[in-house]
Amino acid sequence: VQLQASGGGLVQAGGSLRLSCTGSRRTASNNALAWFRQTPGKEREFVAAVNWDGGTTSYSDAVKGRFTISRRKGSSTAYLQMNSLKPEDTAVYYCAADRRAMYSGSLQSWGQGTLVTVSS
């Protein structure tokens, strides 16, 4: 599965951004998709995931209530709507495809990162 992430940029604290992750249609539409983020010197951390049908989502505690992950059933594109952004959300955001239709954490491919910078 090839993935393409986009939508990063510079935003002030309290603002919003929407990231997109588009996979190669043939496979990505049947896989759970997830977002991770990484800052220099830290491990990549889980942000959010959505199952293949868009019906089940999960979030890290750090973003719960502020970020929303979504996709249409059978779509190879997932979105991450990020609201009420904080400076600590600054990171390179990566999308990933799970090996399964239901998110399992067993990831088979990664997209290139997109940088999100939140200024205070």
Side-chain angles (χ1 to χ4, degrees), residues 92-116:
V92 177
Y93 284 71
Y94 298 88
C95 63
D98 199 279
R99 297 182 187 281
R100 300 187 176 185
M102 309 293 283
Y103 182 69
S104 68
S106 178
L107 303 167
Q108 67 173 0
S109 58
W110 294 85
Q112 92 292 357
T114 185
L115 176 63
V116 172

Side-chain angles (χ1 to χ4, degrees), residues 55-105:
T56 303
T57 58
S58 56
Y59 299 92
S60 68
D61 289 342
V63 307
K64 196 173 297 182
R66 299 187 297 121
F67 291 12
T68 302
I69 190 170
S70 63
R71 73 189 295 181
R72 289 184 293 109
K73 181 178 180 179
S75 172
S76 59
T77 299
Y79 302 96
L80 185 68
Q81 178 67 42
M82 306 186 295
N83 298 330
S84 302
L85 283 161
K86 305 175 182 180
E88 51 263 44
D89 293 318
T90 296
V92 177
Y93 284 71
Y94 298 88
C95 63
D98 199 279
R99 297 182 187 281
R100 300 187 176 185
M102 309 293 283
Y103 182 69
S104 68

Side-chain angles (χ1 to χ4, degrees), residues 9-49:
L10 174 64
V11 64
Q12 288 188 333
S16 299
L17 279 175
R18 189 176 82 155
L19 306 183
S20 299
C21 173
T22 300
S24 53
R25 181 176 179 83
R26 185 170 63 181
T27 305
S29 60
N30 298 320
N31 298 70
L33 295 174
W35 286 97
F36 288 73
R37 66 186 183 185
Q38 188 171 26
T39 55
K42 293 188 177 181
E43 292 187 359
R44 195 169 295 187
E45 66 172 355
F46 172 80
V47 175

